[in-house]
Amino acid sequence: MTETIKTRMLILGSGPAGLSAAIYGARAGLKPIVVQGLQPGGQLTITTDVENYPGFRDVIQGPWLMQEMQAQAEHVGTQMIYDTIVSVDLSRRPFRLTGDGGQVYEAETLVIATGAQAKWLGVPGEQELGGKGVSACATCDGFFYRGKKVAVIGGGNTAVEEALYLTNHSDNVTLIHRRDSLRAEKILQERLFANPKITVLWNKGVERFVGGGEPHGLVGIDLKDTVTGERSHLAVDGGFVAIGHAPATELFKGHLPLDRDGYIEVKPGTPYTSIPGVFACGDVMDKVYRQAVTAAGTGCMAALDVERFLAEADFEAIAAE
């Protein structure tokens, strides 16, 4: 029988949010434990060039940044555990969590930083050209396509916002949508249609992202008309898939309130969930910004609030004696 692991601060997820929470928690003497989950390091481990994280004048690599964050967290006293949590009991403190190998964790506080994953089309060339012309984040990667021809795939708020953002870098932006009308809010649609840099292709589905061989990356997108079946090809340098994100919150259904998109609900402007002692940070609760630097910021907030929560709990325990 494996011995139960007990900790004052348990963190689920090891992306920028989780590791920032760990760094602050460790420096406060809380000896946090990070359960790294299915994708240690988070989404940045599959991101190549990072140019928008403060502190680096040159382009850095996502995996390298996460290695440095983990090393920093460990250096100040964080324990990293390679495990995946499969069940939780948040009905009372200490909270009780179980890993997929049966390991049990008891935590006085819990920080949820399990992140979110971009939804993909699942068509040929998409994954092969990831980071080589195909992206799911215009804010992250749009800068690399200055003066180039780009396309955005989708029809909701995210797709329209990405297309509008890309006009800061490109004069030739195409929005590809499989239907004949957009789901985005009307005010966003008005801005889109009024922008001369944007062209909309209606009733078009993506069949394939086409590469031009190393080192060229993406050179175009094969399309199929969803009404007539006619096939066409659009030459582009960058393709941005903007069909939404899926937060990693399946584990918490029935335990914590989730919004209609599956994100953990928190008290506005804070990482506080509805359960005292349980905090959420990063993309698992943020569907607006979804940036590494904002995730790191909310991780810091979570750790500071964990420290305050535990200090108050300790004081109350002493006063009750």
Side-chain angles (χ1 to χ4, degrees):
M1 184 69 177
T2 305
E3 183 179 354
T4 297
I5 295 176
K6 299 182 179 182
T7 179
R8 303 209 76 191
M9 180 182 186
L10 185 67
I11 302 168
L12 305 188
S14 52
L19 292 180
S20 294
I23 291 166
Y24 274 80
R27 294 186 74 251
L30 299 179
K31 298 180 180 179
I33 291 175
V34 173
V35 178
Q36 295 188 283
L38 290 173
Q39 188 178 36
Q43 292 188 76
L44 277 181
T45 58
I46 57 172
T47 302
T48 51
D49 293 347
V50 176
E51 199 170 34
N52 58 1
Y53 199 86
F56 304 95
R57 71 174 71 187
D58 297 320
V59 175
I60 58 174
Q61 299 299 298
W64 175 84
L65 177 60
M66 297 319 301
Q67 289 171 7
E68 291 297 301
M69 278 193 183
Q70 178 175 329
Q72 183 180 5
E74 291 176 316
H75 176 72
V76 292
T78 299
Q79 180 183 354
M80 310 296 295
I81 295 181
Y82 294 96
D83 199 355
T84 301
I85 300 299
V86 294
S87 68
V88 299
D89 180 1
L90 306 181
S91 61
R92 61 185 182 275
R93 293 180 59 241
F95 308 117
R96 190 175 177 88
L97 301 89
T98 305
D100 63 359
Q103 177 65 61
V104 175
Y105 303 85
E106 286 188 358
E108 294 181 45
T109 59
L110 175 65
V111 175
I112 302 169
T114 48
Q117 296 289 335
K119 295 179 181 178
W120 296 96
L121 297 168
V123 299
E126 185 175 50
Q127 296 304 311
E128 295 86 343
L129 293 168
K132 301 176 183 177
V134 177
S135 170
C137 181
T139 310
C140 309
D141 300 326
F143 185 75
F144 298 112
Y145 297 91
R146 300 185 301 278
K148 297 183 178 181
K149 187 175 182 179
V150 296
V152 177
I153 300 98
N157 284 352
T158 299
V160 174
E161 289 170 347
E162 299 259 283
L164 289 167
Y165 173 80
L166 286 167
T167 61
N168 294 317
H169 305 294
S170 170
D171 293 333
N172 194 331
V173 179
T174 302
L175 180 70
I176 301 169
H177 188 41
R178 58 182 177 174
R179 299 188 177 91
D180 60 2
S181 62
L182 299 173
R183 303 185 312 278
E185 296 172 2
K186 291 299 181 183
I187 189 170
L188 288 174
Q189 293 191 41
E190 290 172 3
R191 293 173 186 167
L192 180 88
F193 297 139
N195 196 310
K197 298 180 181 180
I198 300 175
T199 301
V200 180
L201 291 182
W202 302 106
N203 298 318
K204 295 291 188 294
V206 174
E207 286 205 313
R208 184 167 71 105
F209 289 97
V210 182
E214 295 290 348
H216 304 293
L218 183 72
V219 296
I221 303 174
D222 286 345
L223 305 171
K224 182 179 180 180
D225 194 290
T226 57
V227 176
T228 66
E230 179 184 358
R231 286 180 165 83
S232 59
H233 179 82
L234 178 69
V236 293
D237 302 295
F240 294 86
V241 179
I243 58 174
H245 286 72
T249 55
E250 187 69 28
L251 182 65
F252 305 103
K253 287 182 178 179
H255 300 280
L256 288 169
L258 308 178
D259 70 12
R260 64 180 183 179
D261 297 314
Y263 290 81
I264 294 176
E265 292 185 346
V266 294
K267 180 181 177 181
T270 80
Y272 281 88
T273 71
S274 62
I275 298 178
V278 178
F279 304 84
C281 56
D283 289 5
V284 77
M285 47 73 77
D286 171 24
K287 59 183 177 182
V288 177
Y289 301 104
R290 295 195 301 265
Q291 300 297 302
V293 67
T294 53
T298 58
C300 163
M301 292 164 61
L304 294 175
D305 285 330
V306 163
E307 183 182 3
R308 295 187 185 102
F309 177 86
L310 288 172
E312 291 175 5
D314 291 345
F315 177 79
E316 291 173 0
I318 293 172
E321 292 179 354

